[in-house]
Amino acid sequence: MGCSETIDRRRSRSLRRRVVVGSVCACLLISAHASYTLYTGSKRALREQLRERLTNVASVSASQIDGDLLGQIHIRSDESKPAFRALRAQLHKIKAADDSARFIYIMRKGDSHGMLRFVIDESSESDAGRPGDSYDAQKAPQMLAGFQKPCADRDITGDQWGYFLSGYAPITDSHGRVQGILGIDMCADKIRADEAAFRKSAKTSAAMAVAIALALALIGARSVIGRIRVFTDAATRIEEGDLDFRMRVPWKDETGELADMFNRMICGLKESRDRLIEGTSRDFLTGLYNHMYFHTRLQDEIARAKRHDRQLSVLMMDLDRFKCINDTLGHIVGDSAVAQLAEVIRQSVREIDIPVRYGGDEFAVILPDTDHEQALLAAERIRASVEAHTFLAIPVGELSGISASPRDSKPLRLTITIGAATYPADHASKDGLAMAADIALCRAKHVSRNSVIAYKAPEGEDGMDPQDLYNMLHSPSKSAVASLTAAIDAKDSGTSGHSERVSWYAQEIAGALSAGQPMIDGLRIAGLLHDLGKMGVSEAVLNKPGSLSQQERAEVRKHPVIGGNMLRRTPHMDQVIPAIVFHHERWDGLGYPDGLKGEAIPLMARIMAVADSFDAMTSDRPYRKAMAVEAALAELQTGAGTQFDPRVVEAFVERFRDSEEKAA
């Protein structure tokens, strides 16, 4: 028995030794995996935020370039032309508005696929591109994609001057045709430094894990196996992302000290992660949380409200006439106005509220534990604070430690318009609630600026649910657009099938005018969605059998701009927005919403005007019967040169009659 007991003890010690070693190895692997996962995820979030910001900057900057000037610059000798100097001045202005922009340049497509040519390169380096210089972009797919939509490179590039990321956006002329791309190289040195700091923190954490493992390897005896299990369970919690977890152990010996070391390691990881998340969640100009954080936090707040059976509200707000400030005082003062406005909003909300810069001149506030009436009171408080505040027309760099007063610099008077929605009354989902507040904001902007309006659910079973509307506007699929088209036609009982017919007529006109396929595709979507803004108009007005009053007519006239505003946050709809907003403009300048005249009206909108009017005349409406086709065509010809573009009318009439002859 004595020999057997000795053998059993030896086997037990061997087993414990193997268990201890295996547990230590598992602890090391889990800790290393958790550190690596946290590092790579944070690195990816940092870069995606920079790409999103760069894409937006490139898109906004490209919209400020006069695309008609590009066609005047082809070779180096064109640098003496006024067009070249005008483009250079525009690039200087864009670069001055953003210190992080290193290089900025304009290119156009060359003679062969993948080959581009410089128009202007606002680079201070000796090898800057001159007009007509070629550039092989076959290995730069994002640059080529910039001719279709705003985008940015996926990887950060390094050279002797530092690290940077490049973004691109198409430049269009007055007819909406893409003439070139704007390229911006954004400095990425800070992100590289942040990544290096976190990488160092991760290595330190791994070293601490090694120290813990070595200490654990020295612990023997039967009780160690149970204690090791506590550490492995804790490491698993960390791997799952629970950095708020802390080990609580009663031991006062070496194992307790190791637990304290483990907790300190978790604290270090959490602090590093929080610093990175804070950096990626803050807007660089205002210091408020950004768009990405808004959606993450709103999801969490809705979940919390659901658990505790509470309400919460969302405010969407838009700075009124912000474009006028940028146009008259410049983007530097515009940025300053946005920064000052952010501070007024911050001071007008409670500590538990979450103010956010949603994008550009748009802000949002999440109001936890706030019902419908309280949300309107909070919105009115913010609106009144902004209206009463005196803003200063000074560069944003002079705001910190400012000693100026309204007497020292030009005062600005700003106002904001606010839309409000409440969970769960208006919607129970994150995207649906945000869209409900956004719809309320769109309505408010076209009822009365400097006002507050709450979301009002659509009447009847055919009303579009905000969540569905959000999904459709953020999906480029044909089925999504078709569903949205059905909802638009259902809003107005007298226009069944109207959107599909307008879409078809518009495509036929574009074909008759020998337009390119991109414009034809754009008109297909624009025709289907041209009446989207009617979702913000009362059904009683839309379906009224008699003539409309002046007030009712004014309400209907708001629908093009409401539709454009509803699409403005949908990147793949950028091409069609002008056709939707301006399809009720007239050739003689007496149309709406902006009274554009002649060729100042985008061509797609002029085509839409003819297609829409023809289908309206040849369809039954609550207030009149349909006209005969020939009478409607004659009416179009009568309006050519006053209401309609004569060239568009001629193309439509010829194509329509040719189609009838072929059908006969």
Side-chain angles (χ1 to χ4, degrees):
M1 289 293 292
C3 181
S4 177
E5 289 176 355
T6 300
I7 294 173
D8 287 343
R9 282 197 298 272
R10 287 178 180 174
R11 288 178 176 174
S12 179
R13 285 196 296 270
S14 177
L15 175 61
R16 291 170 187 166
R17 196 177 298 116
R18 290 197 299 270
V19 171
V20 169
V21 172
S23 299
V24 170
C25 292
C27 180
L28 283 172
L29 288 173
I30 293 173
S31 299
H33 179 66
S35 299
Y36 176 78
T37 301
L38 181 61
Y39 167 70
T40 55
S42 301
K43 175 181 175 181
R44 184 165 53 252
L46 278 172
R47 296 194 177 194
E48 282 302 315
Q49 186 201 27
L50 180 61
R51 291 185 73 248
E52 179 181 355
R53 179 195 167 204
L54 182 54
T55 299
N56 291 335
V57 169
S59 178
V60 173
S61 300
S63 67
Q64 301 174 38
I65 300 297
D66 187 351
D68 292 324
L69 299 178
L70 272 61
Q72 303 179 38
I73 303 169
H74 299 279
I75 57 178
R76 295 191 176 192
S77 61
D78 292 338
E79 291 177 341
S80 61
K81 290 185 176 181
F84 183 88
R85 292 194 293 272
L87 284 175
R88 171 166 284 177
Q90 291 173 356
L91 294 189
H92 272 305
K93 183 178 179 182
I94 293 170
K95 191 172 182 181
D98 194 335
D99 294 338
S100 61
R102 283 182 48 190
F103 305 133
I104 183 168
Y105 44 89
I106 296 174
M107 291 182 171
R108 64 157 56 89
K109 289 184 177 179
D111 300 327
S112 58
H113 176 70
M115 188 64 67
L116 305 183
R117 294 194 178 277
F118 280 96
V119 177
I120 181 171
D121 184 2
E122 193 55 28
S123 169
S124 60
E125 309 305 331
S126 59
D127 59 344
R130 302 278 299 278
D133 287 356
S134 62
Y135 180 85
D136 187 359
Q138 294 186 70
K139 296 183 179 180
Q142 295 301 115
M143 180 179 286
L144 296 176
F147 285 89
Q148 305 299 322
K149 64 179 181 179
C151 59
D153 285 342
R154 299 196 174 279
D155 296 321
I156 291 176
T157 304
D159 58 22
Q160 56 185 319
W161 297 286
Y163 294 94
F164 61 93
L165 189 70
S166 300
Y168 318 94
I171 300 173
T172 57
D173 59 18
S174 57
H175 299 292
R177 294 188 293 264
V178 176
Q179 298 296 325
I181 60 166
L182 176 76
I184 296 180
D185 294 347
M186 189 80 71
C187 179
D189 289 342
K190 184 177 182 302
I191 283 188
R192 293 286 295 188
D194 289 342
E195 291 175 358
F198 189 74
R199 187 164 54 248
K200 182 178 179 181
S201 175
K203 290 179 179 178
T204 302
S205 299
M208 292 181 66
V210 171
I212 293 173
L214 291 175
L216 289 174
L218 300 175
I219 299 174
R222 188 189 332 180
S223 60
V224 173
I225 298 176
R227 297 186 180 191
I228 291 296
R229 189 175 297 114
V230 174
F231 279 92
T232 56
D233 291 343
T236 301
R237 293 280 295 273
I238 301 307
E239 183 191 17
E240 293 172 350
D242 185 7
L243 296 186
D244 292 318
F245 173 78
R246 297 293 181 271
M247 293 181 63
R248 294 180 176 85
V249 295
W251 311 311
K252 303 298 183 183
D253 54 11
E254 293 86 350
T255 310
E257 294 177 5
L258 289 173
D260 289 338
M261 290 178 63
F262 196 90
N263 285 337
R264 288 197 295 272
M265 180 188 75
I266 299 171
C267 262
L269 284 173
K270 184 177 186 300
E271 289 174 1
S272 297
R273 183 199 67 176
D274 290 346
R275 283 196 299 270
L276 283 174
I277 291 177
E278 182 73 9
T280 61
S281 299
R282 291 283 182 181
D283 173 62
F284 75 99
L285 176 63
T286 64
L288 298 182
Y289 288 112
N290 60 24
H291 180 276
M292 178 177 65
Y293 182 85
F294 169 83
H295 284 282
T296 301
R297 184 62 180 270
L298 182 57
Q299 184 72 58
D300 294 341
E301 292 297 330
I302 288 177
R304 185 176 294 109
K306 185 176 181 179
R307 284 197 305 271
H308 301 290
D309 194 23
R310 301 286 183 83
Q311 299 184 68
L312 73 87
S313 295
V314 171
L315 305 180
M316 288 287 185
M317 53 194 73
D318 189 74
L319 179 57
D320 297 328
R321 297 185 175 91
F322 181 60
K323 185 176 183 299
C324 294
I325 296 176
N326 281 333
D327 290 345
T328 57
L329 301 177
H331 289 274
I332 295 178
V333 174
D335 286 347
S336 174
V338 169
Q340 294 176 69
L341 176 60
E343 185 58 30
V344 174
I345 293 173
R346 193 195 333 258
Q347 294 177 2
S348 302
V349 299
R350 305 168 298 179
E351 287 190 8
I352 65 170
D353 298 332
I354 303 102
V356 173
R357 186 186 183 193
Y358 202 75
D361 59 337
E362 298 168 309
F363 293 83
V365 181
I366 302 173
L367 305 171
D369 296 327
T370 304
D371 61 22
H372 175 80
E373 289 75 16
Q374 293 168 334
L376 291 179
L377 290 174
E380 178 58 30
R381 183 173 64 250
I382 296 171
R383 187 208 62 77
S385 297
V386 173
E387 184 179 32
H389 188 79
T390 299
F391 297 85
L392 303 179
I394 58 175
V396 67
E398 299 179 14
L399 289 178
S400 58
I402 186 170
S403 59
S405 70
R407 292 189 300 273
D408 301 319
S409 59
K410 182 179 178 180
L412 291 175
R413 293 294 179 184
L414 305 180
T415 60
I416 58 173
T417 304
I418 305 176
T422 301
Y423 166 89
D426 295 328
H427 214 277
S429 74
K430 169 182 70 72
D431 294 332
L433 188 62
M435 179 57 73
D438 202 27
I439 292 172
L441 172 61
C442 289
R443 290 173 177 168
K445 291 287 286 187
H446 301 285
V447 171
S448 173
R449 290 186 176 91
N450 191 24
S451 63
V452 175
I453 287 185
Y455 173 73
K456 181 181 179 182
E459 302 170 0
E461 297 180 358
D462 293 327
M464 174 58 67
D465 179 89
Q467 175 71 60
D468 295 336
L469 180 58
Y470 180 92
N471 292 338
M472 291 174 185
L473 291 181
H474 289 74
S475 168
S477 68
K478 292 183 179 180
S479 60
V481 174
S483 298
L484 186 53
T485 302
I488 295 169
D489 284 349
K491 177 80 174 178
D492 188 345
S493 63
T495 60
S496 177
H498 171 67
S499 299
E500 288 86 352
R501 292 191 298 272
V502 170
S503 175
W504 187 81
Y505 291 145
Q507 292 175 79
E508 288 294 304
I509 295 172
L513 292 172
S514 301
Q517 192 60 42
M519 178 176 287
I520 294 175
D521 292 340
L523 284 167
R524 180 184 69 82
I525 301 298
L528 294 173
L529 301 182
H530 73 284
D531 279 339
L532 175 64
K534 287 186 177 179
M535 300 186 73
V537 179
S538 166
E539 291 184 15
V541 173
L542 291 176
N543 297 317
K544 184 176 179 180
S547 59
L548 300 179
S549 67
Q550 185 174 356
Q551 182 178 358
E552 291 168 337
R553 192 175 296 108
E555 182 178 355
V556 172
R557 286 191 168 196
K558 296 168 188 170
H559 81 271
V561 181
I562 293 176
N565 282 342
M566 294 173 77
L567 293 173
R568 72 189 187 281
R569 294 200 188 103
T570 311
H572 59 273
M573 294 292 185
D574 285 347
Q575 179 191 4
V576 308
I577 290 178
I580 291 172
V581 173
F582 300 118
H583 74 278
H584 280 293
E585 298 287 0
R586 289 173 53 106
W587 184 257
D588 58 11
L590 300 179
Y592 62 90
D594 289 350
L596 300 181
K597 184 177 182 179
E599 294 193 357
I601 307 169
L603 177 58
M604 289 177 69
R606 284 178 264 151
I607 292 173
M608 288 292 302
V610 172
D612 185 36
S613 296
F614 179 76
D615 188 68
M617 288 187 288
T618 55
S619 302
D620 287 331
R621 292 298 171 91
Y623 48 88
R624 60 158 176 77
K625 290 292 185 180
M627 295 174 60
V629 169
E630 283 301 321
L633 293 175
E635 192 71 21
L636 289 178
Q637 291 173 319
T638 301
T642 54
Q643 183 175 354
F644 307 112
D645 180 344
R647 187 167 65 99
V648 174
V649 170
E650 181 182 1
F652 176 66
V653 172
E654 289 182 0
R655 175 61 66 94
F656 192 90
R657 285 177 173 158
D658 286 346
S659 299
E660 285 191 324
E661 289 176 3
K662 291 178 181 178

